[in-house]
Amino acid sequence: MRSRWPIIGISLLFALLTLIPYAAAYASAGDMRFSGFLFNPYDAASYLAKMRQGYDGQYLYTLAFTEDPGPGALIFSFYLFLGHCARLLGLPLIVVWHAARILGGVFFLTAAWEFFGRIGFSPRARAAAWLITGFGSGLGFLAVVFGSFTADLWVAEYIPFLGMFTSAHFPLATALVLLLAMRIALPARRQSPLSLALVFLCGTSLGAIQPFAFLPLGFALAVWAAWMRLTRGRFPDGSLAGISAAAAGILPWILYDFWILRALPAFADWFSQNQTPTPPVWDIALSLGLPGAAVLVSLADRLRIRAPWREQLRSIDEKRFLLIVWFAVNLLLLYAPFSLQRRLMLGMWIPLAALAAPKLEAWVFRPSLSRGRLLAAGVPLLITNLVFLLALLAAGLARNPALFLSRDEAAAADWLNANAGGSVVLAPPELGKWLPGLAGVRVVYGHPMETPDAVRALRDVEAFYQTADPAVRSRILADRRVEYVLCPGDQPSCGASADGLQPQVFSSGAITILRVTPN
């Protein structure tokens, strides 16, 4: 345990330093209100909406970005839990979100250090693997030169550095994947009923947070155990029991998710829009970066060995073979016929970093430390994350309107929070995405995936603000069961009494709110 405390301290220091871009954005807000997020505003607004439902006492999630959510379901329970924590602690939702993000980052970095220790690396290789995992990235900065963005610049599931900056659940889910890998394949002692109970607990926790995250590791563990049986004449001690315990914890969540998609139409509509395909092959190749190149060099070295392939397989260390299979399975699953391909990138950077670290460490220390080689390895590993970090800072200092609310918008959200909780609000999309989280209301449209039939809902919202036909506006208000209309600027359509709109109930600068008169 003594050896872990410095890593825990370094991890905590780094996690706290991730607050700097957010603090800079908050300080630069001026008369605007900073949302508290700096990346992917639609996902950020979704996190906040889920937390708000927990804050309001709900245990089942109902779709927040629609006027007709249908019954709730036991999904997104992690963010509902954070909302309950915020209520019990009397803290703002965004404070609890950042606290969870920081704790998740510390948990992940500490688990990664322990994992690389179990692999059996030399101290330098272990440190290299840990640094690559926590702070390294691919070669996406090269794509930026040509005006493009590769996965290592925006897929937070893939690059842990991005996940620790922008998400509360990705670092935690990745840490649980590492714990499962250690408990099943790299146990410190023989499996016992208690250790299997811990595997089950990790599995069911991962199932509640990110149920499909175990698939790459689960398949890899099955292949690894079968390989051990073929080449060593035995299954690894406790591996089958461990895989079974993990599956027992995770499978109920996956089966429940599939049941939801068949039984609850609103969630089925949401899932049909929730398409997260893996980027093209060239994108992934560039995103593998220097670690990917090191793995290719290692593979070339292996292929030059003139020996039967069966002998070569038997000669591979079992722990290294687990890493090879994990990475290979992950690559294959990225292009499986599955609508959530990109979600399976969670954790893929770990076996890649582990496979690359010994080769890179040996190259940098050949025969002793070479500063030139250290620089040649460090710059390609770090520069993409530096580009990402600068982008976060720029978004905050420039007060990106997708991440900030104007003074009048914030005042309108506060009024809705105090007076219209649970109501259906028709609002412009750029503001509508924030209202479920900030005010506890429902919106006609607020999210391209989590609003069922999002294209039609967006069309209705745009038509309401753009049309001059009172009949069209009245139809939209009735069909969508709208109770309040938020009007930005001077919108003549908002003031038409023929629409059933009462005089304004709120006004602040360019923003007004009108109540809809029931027919």
Side-chain angles (χ1 to χ4, degrees), residues 45-101:
S46 176
Y47 302 153
L48 204 62
K50 296 171 176 69
M51 291 178 66
R52 176 58 188 253
Q53 291 191 15
Y55 186 89
D56 289 339
Q58 297 185 40
Y59 291 91
L60 300 178
Y61 178 67
T62 55
L63 293 175
F65 302 95
T66 177
E67 81 283 356
D68 186 17
L74 188 61
I75 59 173
F76 303 119
S77 50
F78 173 67
Y79 283 106
L80 291 171
F81 169 74
L82 292 184
H84 285 284
C85 291
R87 185 186 73 254
L88 293 173
L89 296 173
L91 294 173
L93 295 178
I94 194 63
V95 171
V96 173
W97 183 83
H98 279 290
R101 183 180 63 80

Side-chain angles (χ1 to χ4, degrees), residues 34-53:
F34 175 45
S35 67
F37 300 95
L38 285 173
F39 183 78
N40 199 340
Y42 280 107
D43 279 1
S46 176
Y47 302 153
L48 204 62
K50 296 171 176 69
M51 291 178 66
R52 176 58 188 253
Q53 291 191 15

Side-chain angles (χ1 to χ4, degrees), residues 16-224:
L16 292 173
L17 289 175
T18 64
L19 290 171
I20 291 176
Y22 295 95
Y26 180 82
S28 68
D31 63 349
M32 302 183 76
R33 179 179 296 180
F34 175 45
S35 67
F37 300 95
L38 285 173
F39 183 78
N40 199 340
Y42 280 107
D43 279 1
S46 176
Y47 302 153
L48 204 62
K50 296 171 176 69
M51 291 178 66
R52 176 58 188 253
Q53 291 191 15
Y55 186 89
D56 289 339
Q58 297 185 40
Y59 291 91
L60 300 178
Y61 178 67
T62 55
L63 293 175
F65 302 95
T66 177
E67 81 283 356
D68 186 17
L74 188 61
I75 59 173
F76 303 119
S77 50
F78 173 67
Y79 283 106
L80 291 171
F81 169 74
L82 292 184
H84 285 284
C85 291
R87 185 186 73 254
L88 293 173
L89 296 173
L91 294 173
L93 295 178
I94 194 63
V95 171
V96 173
W97 183 83
H98 279 290
R101 183 180 63 80
I102 288 169
L103 292 175
V106 174
F107 184 26
F108 163 69
L109 289 172
T110 305
W113 178 258
E114 181 69 18
F115 175 78
F116 295 129
R118 299 277 184 96
I119 292 294
F121 285 151
S122 69
R124 284 198 308 234
R126 181 185 190 184
W130 187 74
L131 290 170
I132 294 169
T133 297
F135 310 102
S137 188
L139 299 175
F141 68 94
L142 297 175
V144 173
V145 176
F146 298 97
S148 184
F149 293 91
T150 48
D152 52 344
L153 277 163
W154 66 277
V155 181
E157 300 100 308
Y158 173 48
I159 301 296
F161 185 88
L162 273 62
M164 288 186 286
F165 263 94
T166 63
S167 170
H169 69 290
F170 288 151
L172 177 57
T174 312
L176 290 171
V177 169
L178 283 170
L179 289 182
L180 286 170
M182 286 187 281
R183 289 283 178 180
I184 296 172
L186 309 168
R189 55 187 65 87
R190 293 180 64 87
Q191 297 283 21
S192 66
L194 178 59
S195 65
L196 291 176
L198 290 174
V199 170
F200 174 83
L201 180 61
C202 288
T204 197
S205 299
L206 182 61
I209 297 170
Q210 194 86 354
F212 295 104
F214 182 70
L215 289 181
L217 176 63
F219 280 120
L221 287 170
V223 172
W224 170 75

